[in-house]
mmCIF file of all heavy atoms in Angstrom:
data_model
loop_
_atom_site.group_PDB
_atom_site.id
_atom_site.type_symbol
_atom_site.label_atom_id
_atom_site.label_comp_id
_atom_site.label_asym_id
_atom_site.label_seq_id
_atom_site.Cartn_x
_atom_site.Cartn_y
_atom_site.Cartn_z
ATOM 1 N N PRO A 176 93.581 85.436 122.056
ATOM 2 C CA PRO A 176 93.912 84.824 123.346
ATOM 3 C C PRO A 176 92.706 84.724 124.276
ATOM 4 O O PRO A 176 92.578 83.750 125.029
ATOM 5 C CB PRO A 176 94.977 85.765 123.926
ATOM 6 C CG PRO A 176 95.568 86.448 122.739
ATOM 7 C CD PRO A 176 94.433 86.614 121.786
ATOM 8 N N THR A 177 91.822 85.706 124.224
ATOM 9 C CA THR A 177 90.621 85.662 125.063
ATOM 10 C C THR A 177 89.725 84.499 124.667
ATOM 11 O O THR A 177 89.157 83.812 125.527
ATOM 12 C CB THR A 177 89.849 86.994 124.944
ATOM 13 O OG1 THR A 177 90.697 88.068 125.352
ATOM 14 C CG2 THR A 177 88.610 86.988 125.825
ATOM 15 N N VAL A 178 89.597 84.259 123.372
ATOM 16 C CA VAL A 178 88.814 83.110 122.894
ATOM 17 C C VAL A 178 89.434 81.810 123.384
ATOM 18 O O VAL A 178 88.733 80.902 123.850
ATOM 19 C CB VAL A 178 88.710 83.133 121.358
ATOM 20 C CG1 VAL A 178 88.126 81.818 120.837
ATOM 21 C CG2 VAL A 178 87.842 84.300 120.900
ATOM 22 N N LEU A 179 90.768 81.697 123.290
ATOM 23 C CA LEU A 179 91.438 80.480 123.764
ATOM 24 C C LEU A 179 91.179 80.259 125.254
ATOM 25 O O LEU A 179 90.948 79.128 125.693
ATOM 26 C CB LEU A 179 92.942 80.569 123.502
ATOM 27 C CG LEU A 179 93.406 80.449 122.054
ATOM 28 C CD1 LEU A 179 94.928 80.582 121.971
ATOM 29 C CD2 LEU A 179 92.969 79.128 121.429
ATOM 30 N N ASN A 180 91.227 81.338 126.030
ATOM 31 C CA ASN A 180 90.964 81.212 127.466
ATOM 32 C C ASN A 180 89.572 80.650 127.728
ATOM 33 O O ASN A 180 89.377 79.811 128.623
ATOM 34 C CB ASN A 180 91.098 82.564 128.153
ATOM 35 C CG ASN A 180 92.533 83.013 128.323
ATOM 36 O OD1 ASN A 180 93.467 82.228 128.146
ATOM 37 N ND2 ASN A 180 92.732 84.276 128.655
ATOM 38 N N ASN A 181 88.604 81.105 126.946
ATOM 39 C CA ASN A 181 87.218 80.733 127.194
ATOM 40 C C ASN A 181 86.805 79.426 126.536
ATOM 41 O O ASN A 181 85.824 78.804 126.951
ATOM 42 C CB ASN A 181 86.288 81.856 126.726
ATOM 43 C CG ASN A 181 86.311 83.052 127.649
ATOM 44 O OD1 ASN A 181 85.633 83.073 128.668
ATOM 45 N ND2 ASN A 181 87.108 84.058 127.321
ATOM 46 N N VAL A 182 87.535 79.004 125.503
ATOM 47 C CA VAL A 182 87.144 77.800 124.770
ATOM 48 C C VAL A 182 87.951 76.575 125.184
ATOM 49 O O VAL A 182 87.389 75.504 125.431
ATOM 50 C CB VAL A 182 87.253 78.028 123.251
ATOM 51 C CG1 VAL A 182 86.975 76.739 122.488
ATOM 52 C CG2 VAL A 182 86.281 79.113 122.803
ATOM 53 N N ILE A 183 89.271 76.712 125.266
ATOM 54 C CA ILE A 183 90.084 75.530 125.590
ATOM 55 C C ILE A 183 90.777 75.650 126.947
ATOM 56 O O ILE A 183 91.550 74.772 127.318
ATOM 57 C CB ILE A 183 91.119 75.231 124.486
ATOM 58 C CG1 ILE A 183 92.200 76.313 124.430
ATOM 59 C CG2 ILE A 183 90.448 75.063 123.138
ATOM 60 C CD1 ILE A 183 93.364 75.944 123.512
ATOM 61 N N GLY A 184 90.527 76.731 127.662
ATOM 62 C CA GLY A 184 91.014 76.830 129.030
ATOM 63 C C GLY A 184 92.457 77.229 129.201
ATOM 64 O O GLY A 184 93.096 76.872 130.198
ATOM 65 N N THR A 185 93.015 77.978 128.239
ATOM 66 C CA THR A 185 94.361 78.510 128.449
ATOM 67 C C THR A 185 94.329 79.552 129.563
ATOM 68 O O THR A 185 93.269 80.065 129.926
ATOM 69 C CB THR A 185 94.923 79.132 127.163
ATOM 70 O OG1 THR A 185 93.959 80.060 126.633
ATOM 71 C CG2 THR A 185 95.196 78.067 126.117
ATOM 72 N N LYS A 186 95.503 79.873 130.078
ATOM 73 C CA LYS A 186 95.586 80.787 131.222
ATOM 74 C C LYS A 186 96.364 82.054 130.854
ATOM 75 O O LYS A 186 97.220 82.510 131.600
ATOM 76 C CB LYS A 186 96.241 80.076 132.417
ATOM 77 C CG LYS A 186 95.480 78.833 132.886
ATOM 78 C CD LYS A 186 96.152 78.189 134.069
ATOM 79 C CE LYS A 186 95.440 76.901 134.485
ATOM 80 N NZ LYS A 186 94.052 77.160 134.928
ATOM 81 N N PHE A 187 96.054 82.603 129.689
ATOM 82 C CA PHE A 187 96.709 83.830 129.261
ATOM 83 C C PHE A 187 96.146 85.010 130.045
ATOM 84 O O PHE A 187 94.929 85.150 130.199
ATOM 85 C CB PHE A 187 96.498 84.070 127.771
ATOM 86 C CG PHE A 187 97.145 83.051 126.881
ATOM 87 C CD1 PHE A 187 96.400 82.365 125.932
ATOM 88 C CD2 PHE A 187 98.501 82.776 126.983
ATOM 89 C CE1 PHE A 187 96.992 81.428 125.108
ATOM 90 C CE2 PHE A 187 99.103 81.836 126.168
ATOM 91 C CZ PHE A 187 98.344 81.156 125.223
ATOM 92 N N LYS A 188 97.040 85.879 130.493
ATOM 93 C CA LYS A 188 96.651 87.120 131.149
ATOM 94 C C LYS A 188 97.117 88.268 130.268
ATOM 95 O O LYS A 188 98.313 88.434 130.035
ATOM 96 C CB LYS A 188 97.282 87.224 132.537
ATOM 97 C CG LYS A 188 96.909 88.485 133.282
ATOM 98 C CD LYS A 188 97.569 88.539 134.653
ATOM 99 C CE LYS A 188 97.231 89.826 135.388
ATOM 100 N NZ LYS A 188 97.910 89.892 136.711
ATOM 101 N N LEU A 189 96.180 89.062 129.773
ATOM 102 C CA LEU A 189 96.513 90.146 128.851
ATOM 103 C C LEU A 189 96.921 91.406 129.605
ATOM 104 O O LEU A 189 96.224 91.855 130.514
ATOM 105 C CB LEU A 189 95.315 90.455 127.949
ATOM 106 C CG LEU A 189 95.035 89.433 126.851
ATOM 107 C CD1 LEU A 189 93.667 89.676 126.236
ATOM 108 C CD2 LEU A 189 96.110 89.497 125.783
ATOM 109 N N VAL A 190 98.050 91.955 129.215
ATOM 110 C CA VAL A 190 98.509 93.245 129.737
ATOM 111 C C VAL A 190 98.252 94.257 128.628
ATOM 112 O O VAL A 190 98.953 94.291 127.617
ATOM 113 C CB VAL A 190 100.009 93.198 130.112
ATOM 114 C CG1 VAL A 190 100.460 94.554 130.646
ATOM 115 C CG2 VAL A 190 100.262 92.097 131.137
ATOM 116 N N MET A 191 97.227 95.077 128.809
ATOM 117 C CA MET A 191 96.739 95.925 127.729
ATOM 118 C C MET A 191 97.434 97.284 127.703
ATOM 119 O O MET A 191 98.124 97.676 128.640
ATOM 120 C CB MET A 191 95.230 96.130 127.883
ATOM 121 C CG MET A 191 94.436 94.833 127.961
ATOM 122 S SD MET A 191 94.464 93.919 126.414
ATOM 123 C CE MET A 191 93.313 94.911 125.473
ATOM 124 N N GLY A 192 97.203 98.004 126.593
ATOM 125 C CA GLY A 192 97.636 99.393 126.502
ATOM 126 C C GLY A 192 98.828 99.656 125.609
ATOM 127 O O GLY A 192 99.255 100.808 125.470
ATOM 128 N N TYR A 193 99.394 98.629 124.973
ATOM 129 C CA TYR A 193 100.535 98.843 124.084
ATOM 130 C C TYR A 193 100.050 99.383 122.739
ATOM 131 O O TYR A 193 99.004 98.985 122.230
ATOM 132 C CB TYR A 193 101.315 97.539 123.892
ATOM 133 C CG TYR A 193 102.018 97.091 125.151
ATOM 134 C CD1 TYR A 193 101.444 96.120 125.978
ATOM 135 C CD2 TYR A 193 103.232 97.642 125.517
ATOM 136 C CE1 TYR A 193 102.075 95.720 127.144
ATOM 137 C CE2 TYR A 193 103.871 97.241 126.691
ATOM 138 C CZ TYR A 193 103.285 96.280 127.495
ATOM 139 O OH TYR A 193 103.918 95.898 128.657
#
Side-chain angles (χ1 to χ4, degrees):
T177 301
V178 170
L179 288 179
N180 285 347
N181 286 277
V182 175
I183 68 171
T185 51
K186 300 181 183 297
F187 294 125
K188 181 180 178 182
L189 286 167
V190 180
M191 305 293 284
Y193 292 98

